[in-house]
Amino acid sequence: GQSLEQPSEVTAVEGAIVQINCTYQTSGFYGLSWYQQHDGGAPTFLSYNALDGLEETGRFSSFLSRSDSYGYLLLQELQMKDSASYFCAVSAGTASKLTFGTGTRLQVTL
Amino acid sequence: DTGVSQDPRHKITKRGQNVTFRCDPISEHNRLYWYRQTLGQGPEFLTYFQNEAQLEKSRLLSDRFSAERPKGSFSTLEIQRTEQGDSAMYLCASSSSGTGGRTKNIQYFGAGTRLSVL
């Protein structure tokens, strides 16, 4: 089976940088995705890593180490609107379905 | 690109009734997925279509659940004889397998149908 671990809650100040870690156990690993979900909203794609290293998209970056089964999402210049739940998800095997972690609730404060 | 649409947004039903949800994926996407999400949890995979073929079903999907994608476009998810444990958000997502590479695993989600079984 597959399992993912990420912190349940993180609090940070507006303008700061926050890192959300994700460790996973899976066979046939294909890639690690990150999604953002506001309360009552749809999960929204943020970033995807299939290879080791850093992917940067604006204020968001994602890192993957396949040998360590570890990844993280880095959010810079935090804004109040970044307060949401963040999910890491692995795709494995057929590279179709996603298996999600339980999510990290980020609270951005003034 | 109008995004993934789901209908209805909310459904309240009595235990034992049947319900059906609809998902319209992004038009050029050939892959369609159904997930279920309960409060405080991540989405859980239910089933997956490539075009009209249902290629994978989760063990979570009991015999009371059935999904179709008859023409490879929209999909329906039906739950028969609903139970209180079926109360959840049902999410639909779509993606394209055609481009490969980095975009291959980006799934775009709809806003979901929230089901409440009384």
Side-chain angles (χ1 to χ4, degrees):
Chain A
Q2 295 157 4
S3 67
L4 297 94
E5 286 192 18
Q6 50 182 131
S8 57
E9 290 185 11
V10 173
T11 301
V13 176
E14 190 176 34
I17 299 172
V18 71
Q19 178 174 313
I20 299 174
N21 298 320
C22 174
T23 58
Y24 60 87
Q25 288 185 322
T26 187
S27 57
F29 177 85
Y30 196 87
L32 185 71
S33 301
W34 289 92
Y35 283 80
Q36 178 194 62
Q37 187 177 33
H38 288 96
D39 287 346
T44 304
F45 173 80
L46 293 177
S47 193
Y48 172 70
N49 296 72
L51 302 175
D52 288 356
L54 192 68
E55 291 281 344
E56 297 181 79
T57 309
R59 295 187 298 115
F60 296 165
S61 303
S62 60
F63 172 82
L64 176 67
S65 169
R66 293 171 68 113
S67 60
D68 295 324
S69 299
Y70 164 75
Y72 66 71
L73 179 70
L74 193 72
L75 297 85
Q76 303 182 70
E77 301 172 18
L78 282 174
Q79 302 174 10
M80 296 298 290
K81 68 178 182 178
D82 297 328
S83 294
S85 292
Y86 292 83
F87 295 91
C88 58
V90 296
S91 47
T94 58
S96 55
K97 69 181 182 186
L98 293 172
T99 300
F100 285 82
T102 53
T104 298
R105 191 167 186 86
L106 171 64
Q107 182 73 38
V108 181
T109 62
L110 292 172
Chain B
D1 180 0
T2 59
V4 178
S5 300
Q6 293 190 244
D7 183 71
R9 291 294 311 277
H10 304 276
K11 179 70 177 178
I12 301 173
T13 191
K14 293 182 179 180
R15 190 175 51 189
Q17 298 294 305
N18 299 344
V19 293
T20 300
F21 311 140
R22 177 182 170 120
C23 172
D24 287 89
I26 293 171
S27 58
E28 62 267 27
H29 285 179
N30 61 336
R31 290 181 166 180
L32 187 148
Y33 312 79
W34 285 98
Y35 293 84
R36 180 170 63 190
Q37 186 177 27
T38 54
L39 198 62
Q41 301 296 314
E44 291 179 299
F45 170 78
L46 293 178
T47 190
Y48 152 63
F49 291 85
Q50 180 150 323
N51 300 312
E52 65 275 8
Q54 189 174 19
L55 297 185
E56 192 168 346
K57 289 170 62 174
S58 166
R59 284 169 289 179
L60 294 175
L61 214 63
S62 77
D63 292 344
R64 297 184 297 105
F65 288 70
S66 61
E68 293 183 343
R69 194 182 184 200
K71 297 182 180 179
S73 55
F74 74 91
S75 175
T76 58
L77 177 68
E78 180 183 18
I79 309 175
Q80 296 182 325
R81 305 182 303 282
T82 52
E83 302 173 355
Q84 288 185 327
D86 297 331
S87 296
M89 176 75 84
Y90 289 84
L91 293 163
C92 176
S94 69
S95 71
S96 173
S97 64
T99 54
R102 189 180 185 278
T103 62
K104 186 171 185 177
N105 287 287
I106 298 175
Q107 295 185 20
Y108 297 87
F109 282 80
T113 295
R114 181 169 295 283
L115 173 66
S116 297
V117 182
L118 306 178

